[in-house]
Amino acid sequence: MAEQTSRGMTKGRLRKAVLWITVFFLAVLAALSVYSAFLGSSKATVFFNSPPLAVFWILLALLFAAGFFTVKSLVKRPALFLCHLGCLLVILGALWGSQDAHQLRARHFGSTKVREGMMKIHEGHRENRLYSADGTSTVVGELPFELGLDDFWIEYYESKGQLYSVDSNDVATAVTAEPGKVLDLGEGKPKIQITRAFKNFKIMIDGDRRIAHDAGGSNVNPALEVEITLPDGSKSGGHYVFARGFGGHGFEYEGLFLGYRYSGPSQISDYKSALAVVEDGEVVLRKTIEVNDPLHYGGYDFYQTGYDQQRGHYTVLSVTSDSGLVPVFIGYFFLCLGVIWQCWLRHLRPGKAVSA
Amino acid sequence: MMIKNTPQGYLIYAAMAAMLIAFVASLLKRRRTANAIYLLSSVIVLAALVYRGIHVKHWPMQNLFEVFLCLGLIYPVSLFCRKFLRVGAEPADMLIGFIVLFPAGFVFSAEPQQLPPALQCWLFAPHVGVYMASYAIMAKATVQAVMAMAGKARPADPDLVDYEEGTYRIVSMGFPFLTLGLILGSWWGKLAWGDYWGWDPKEMWSLVTWLVYAIYLHVRAVYGRKRPRLTGGLAVLGMAAVIITLLWVNLSRIFSGLHSYAS
Ligand code: HEM
């Protein structure tokens, strides 16, 4: 009995010791994280991948492992086991996927896999060279297959702009520039209805008729066709308000001033690259990638990151190795499950007695 | 400081006024009235959020204006804590509601923005959503922690748990949300940037926040209920990290990071 109590006490002490070492390690990691927040991401990446930090990560992983051997509840209670095993898997996966681990495998096991790089592919061309991720033109590796770019394009948000009028007191009234919308200037003032919107207004001459039409394309000469109803009820249609204005002038009619504020070149909504994976001269996979939707093939992930800003003829992809990803994401899953189990299901029961 | 002369602004001001009135009513011991007005204020916040969502055509969680508006929806946290955790202190929640709505009403611009490509991901709403939930919950935990640190043992209502236990229960409620937020963010980073961890300042601060609460849980596991000042202090430190994560990185131009959408 006395022996059992004393063993209980050593166990209790051991648990306490493990907990305090844990607190110490977590506090050190927190302090290093605060420090690295001041460095900015690129320096912080170098810092956390440096040799002393590699030692820290390995010690942390060992601490988790030691915890399983010394504190029984970490293994016996499934919730706690999942929390801690999850963390351990994340650290191990991250170590396995690190730059140093890739280099070690290359040096000692002849692996050709690189951790990360960039690719620049012209439309209609194929490429397998990976350039350094720091933007220099150093080739850091080659893929065992080729990637072709069938097409690259940019998508924009629909931007409508506004039809507006400014009165003698400089007060503006505006309406979204859409056919059917009416700009109502109030009691005793004209009403202006938008009857048509042109992305690229052009006049076609047909005999002695002049026909307004939308030449399409990008927004070269955006314009609105409006119909004006004067306070006396008389209507007058076929007026055009130009966003660019001829010579910068607005539109004036019977003392009424109208303008078309076009939102300018609209904001980009997406970049897309239609890619083809080519093995031994044959296309084995096609996929259109965009931001948030990468291509996964042959142990790498390919991300849309840039493009030819002048002419849109090439795309820039960032490429990352998928080594270590599986343990990291399984670790995430375990961690979530364990934390929810431990924190919610065990503690959060209505009216549960106050814990000791 | 700017006043928003828009329906959006009026809704926020109405909700703020209701939070304050509810707070005053609860000081005057009109619990039922206070609760009804508190509920009303949350309905107004919800209306403001729905209005905003329809207006900008995406989940209203993109910039700091929208984030603070979301945080104003603290009523469900109060309700859950009272019903399931036996933690009260609703007047403090009303004040928290008022305080978080203030920047939405007066500081941050409500100019609608379209989502840049990186934010168009299904993980966007869940990632920010669970973070908002965890922040609101941890704010409530902070109040319990401060009371415990101030040496107050327990609230007058015998149905409620004491402040130390209250802190622990609420941190336990919030920690999984914080964990989910971190992991969803990491997953999204993988999809959008190619790496599940980019070491940028916003990520580092959210890691710090998570670590501080993890430290809280471990220290609590050592001492149990015996050191309310120490554990309470850690919970308060956690909140400080939350505030820095939320604000400092965005507002200060000290760091160069990837997370600049929210500025
Ligand atoms: C940041 C990573 C970690 C997380 C998220 C984490 C999470 C947790 C959680 C949620 C608890 C339960 C606390 C409670 O419900 O009161 C716990 C307890 C514990 N953790 Fe961790 N932990 C982490 C790191 C570690 C490490 C590195 C060790 C060292 C081996 C460790 C050892 C323990 C021990 C011994 C307990 C107490 C178990 C008991 O009550 O018997 N933890 N941890």
Side-chain angles (χ1 to χ4, degrees), chain B residues 138-152 162-168 171 212-213 215-217 219-220 223-240:
Chain B
M138 293 311 193
K140 192 169 165 70
T142 311
V143 174
Q144 297 285 312
V146 168
M147 297 302 273
M149 285 170 76
K152 296 235 176 205
D162 63 68
Y163 291 121
E164 195 287 328
E165 174 73 15
T167 315
Y168 179 50
V171 171
V212 173
Y213 284 109
I215 291 173
Y216 166 89
L217 288 176
V219 172
R220 177 67 167 64
Y223 288 120
R225 305 162 43 74
K226 283 187 240 133
R227 294 282 179 91
R229 287 217 163 82
L230 175 62
T231 47
L234 284 167
V236 172
L237 199 63
M239 194 66 223

Side-chain angles (χ1 to χ4, degrees), chain B residues 165-249:
Chain B
E165 174 73 15
T167 315
Y168 179 50
R169 286 188 177 195
I170 303 182
V171 171
S172 294
M173 176 185 170
F175 192 67
F177 281 113
L178 215 51
T179 310
L180 272 173
L182 198 64
I183 288 177
L184 291 175
S186 169
W187 184 0
W188 182 12
K190 177 69 197 145
L191 288 183
W193 298 319
D195 258 322
Y196 54 85
W197 197 257
W199 308 102
D200 87 294
K202 184 110 179 167
E203 280 174 347
M204 296 322 293
W205 279 113
S206 50
L207 178 68
V208 172
T209 306
W210 185 74
L211 287 170
V212 173
Y213 284 109
I215 291 173
Y216 166 89
L217 288 176
H218 289 87
V219 172
R220 177 67 167 64
V222 176
Y223 288 120
R225 305 162 43 74
K226 283 187 240 133
R227 294 282 179 91
R229 287 217 163 82
L230 175 62
T231 47
L234 284 167
V236 172
L237 199 63
M239 194 66 223
V242 166
I243 294 170
I244 295 173
T245 311
L246 197 57
L247 284 182
W248 197 30
V249 180

Side-chain angles (χ1 to χ4, degrees), chain A residues 17-27 60 63-64 84, chain B residues 215 218:
Chain A
V18 169
L19 278 166
W20 274 123
I21 300 173
T22 302
V23 167
F24 172 75
F25 267 78
L26 298 187
L60 189 58
L63 176 61
F64 275 107
H84 295 91
Chain B
I215 291 173
H218 289 87

Side-chain angles (χ1 to χ4, degrees), chain A residues 37 157 303 332 344 352 355, chain B residues 115 169 173 186 190 225 255:
Chain A
Y157 279 106
Y303 296 84
Y332 280 171
W344 286 353
K352 180 179 170 281
S355 69
Chain B
L115 290 184
R169 286 188 177 195
M173 176 185 170
S186 169
K190 177 69 197 145
R225 305 162 43 74
F255 310 124

